Structure formats: C-alpha cells, structure tokens
Amino acid sequence: MPLTLLTHPLIQHKLTILRDKNTGVKEFREIVSEIAMLMCYEATRGLPLEEVEVITPVAPARSKTVAGKKLALVPVLRAGLGMVEGMINLVPSAKVAHIGLYRDPETLQPVEYYCKLPPDIMERDCFVLDPMLATGGTAAAAVQYLKEAGARSIKLLCILAAPPGVDKLGYEHPDVEVITCAVDGHLNEHGYIVPGLGDAGDRIFGTK
Ligand code: URA
C-alpha cells in the first residue's frame, strides 16, 4: 500500500502546534484547516493538466489548467469535518460527501449512521478525510462503503497515523494511498495514538 509522508517544514511546524496540549480550540481548528490545505496541495499533485490559450495583458499565451477532473471530499464524521474547509479552499468545485460511522458495542463492527454521497461518486477521485488513523477500523470501513458505492479512486488523508492503522488499511485496501504528516509509535490501551495529539474531534469542536 502506498504511504506518502508529508515532511514539508510548514506542515511539520504546524503539526507540533497541534500536538501541544496548551493549544486552544480556536488555534487548533485553524491549524487543522491550514494543514488540510497543505495536504490537499500535495494530494492533488498528480491531477491531469490541459493546455489552453489565454490572452495576457501583453500577448496571447499557451498555459495550463486542471483538466476537469471530478473530485469528492469525504470527511469521516466527526473529526474529518475539520479538514473540509482547508481542502475546499483549494478545490472549490469538489463535492463533499459525508460518512458517519459508529462502533457497535456488541459486535465491535463499524455501523453507518449517516452517509450521503454524490450520485456520480464512481467518476470522482475521492479523498477520505480523517485526521487520526489509529486502529484503522473506521477508515477501512469508510473506504469499503465508498467502494461498495462504486468509487474506484480513493486516497486517505490523515494528519497523524499509527502502525496498526497503516497495516490494517494496507491489508484490506492495498490500492488506497495513505497520505499523512507523521506515523507515531503506537496506540495506548484506550486506542489513542502515542504521543499523538489527543482526541482530534474534541479538540476541533471544544467538547472536552
Ligand atoms: N482518534 C483521535 O481523535 N485520537 C487518537 O489518538 C486516536 C483516534
């Protein structure tokens, strides 16, 4: 499974601010958005271009535009919502799909509670957004849901990853590229990434 590590100094600097337990909700949310924008820049590096003619104030020119590729941003509720604004700033014509999953306490299987995809999802390059790839259970289920809906091109954008999540996704969905800013050491007994940054959803929405 392809894993792309984003080592750009600005991304790494901003990630350190997210990790800091003293970073407040407002700044945390803003930095998540900024990192998402930088991740979008990297994740769209392979978009096809076409040449068009444009008249500059000086002369006609041949220049390039993105060749009408259809994109879908797919935040996994709820923490993935924090990454939408930063991404959509760069790709404003992308559609936004939503996937809400919870873990059934008895079967421990992910269950969808709210999912809404654009009808042409099979024609779109899908960027699944989930800031934390921990066990990989939710991300793998979200990717599975997208595939069952017909999606064929899927990348997972997570700000932080841990080895169990990377392994699970690689095993279940080897065709899905994982793009992340860091792969941390391990998970603790509560399933949190160590050292990580805590609960991304709580820190984005101020619910703790
Ligand atoms: N989800 C989070 O928000 N944080 C973690 O460390 C793991 C999963």
Side-chain angles (χ1 to χ4, degrees), residues 15-23 28 32 78-79 130-134 159-161 184 186-188 190-204 207-208:
L15 176 57
T16 301
I17 299 172
L18 292 188
R19 288 188 190 277
D20 187 339
K21 68 176 186 174
N22 294 315
T23 299
F28 191 91
V32 165
R78 99 188 130 137
D130 195 349
M132 310 296 278
L133 179 62
I159 293 176
L160 263 185
D184 276 9
H186 63 281
L187 302 182
N188 69 13
H190 306 293
Y192 281 98
I193 297 177
V194 182
L197 51 74
D199 188 304
D202 280 338
R203 295 195 68 190
I204 290 167
T207 42
K208 207 165 187 184

Side-chain angles (χ1 to χ4, degrees), residues 18-58:
L18 292 188
R19 288 188 190 277
D20 187 339
K21 68 176 186 174
N22 294 315
T23 299
V25 176
K26 177 175 182 290
E27 192 180 9
F28 191 91
R29 195 183 291 141
E30 287 168 357
I31 301 280
V32 165
S33 213
E34 288 174 8
I35 290 181
M37 181 150 43
L38 295 167
M39 294 182 80
C40 181
Y41 174 79
E42 297 278 4
T44 53
R45 193 175 277 284
L47 284 182
L49 291 171
E50 64 188 4
E51 219 173 70
V52 295
E53 185 161 315
V54 64
I55 314 286
T56 81
V58 180

Side-chain angles (χ1 to χ4, degrees), residues 38-196:
L38 295 167
M39 294 182 80
C40 181
Y41 174 79
E42 297 278 4
T44 53
R45 193 175 277 284
L47 284 182
L49 291 171
E50 64 188 4
E51 219 173 70
V52 295
E53 185 161 315
V54 64
I55 314 286
T56 81
V58 180
R62 302 289 298 170
S63 195
K64 295 187 175 70
T65 59
V66 173
K69 194 82 179 142
K70 290 176 156 188
L71 306 179
L73 309 181
V74 191
V76 179
L77 305 181
R78 99 188 130 137
L81 291 174
M83 297 174 72
V84 172
E85 192 189 324
M87 298 270 307
I88 211 148
N89 279 340
L90 287 193
V91 287
S93 58
K95 295 280 168 66
V96 183
H98 293 87
I99 296 187
L101 297 162
Y102 73 90
R103 189 166 295 275
D104 184 297
E106 279 170 18
T107 65
L108 299 183
Q109 291 307 306
V111 180
E112 300 117 35
Y113 65 87
Y114 180 82
C115 293
K116 185 84 180 171
L117 308 180
D120 59 353
I121 194 74
M122 62 291 293
E123 294 166 22
R124 293 182 176 270
D125 284 352
C126 299
F127 296 110
V128 176
L129 312 179
D130 195 349
M132 310 296 278
L133 179 62
T135 64
T138 311
V143 167
Q144 186 61 34
Y145 183 86
L146 277 176
K147 285 184 174 175
E148 283 168 15
R152 285 167 298 167
S153 162
I154 304 172
K155 293 182 201 283
L156 173 69
L157 275 61
C158 53
I159 293 176
L160 263 185
V166 172
D167 291 347
K168 183 174 174 71
L169 213 81
Y171 182 71
E172 293 187 15
H173 301 289
D175 54 314
V176 172
E177 179 184 0
V178 174
I179 301 177
T180 188
C181 309
V183 181
D184 276 9
H186 63 281
L187 302 182
N188 69 13
E189 64 277 21
H190 306 293
Y192 281 98
I193 297 177
V194 182

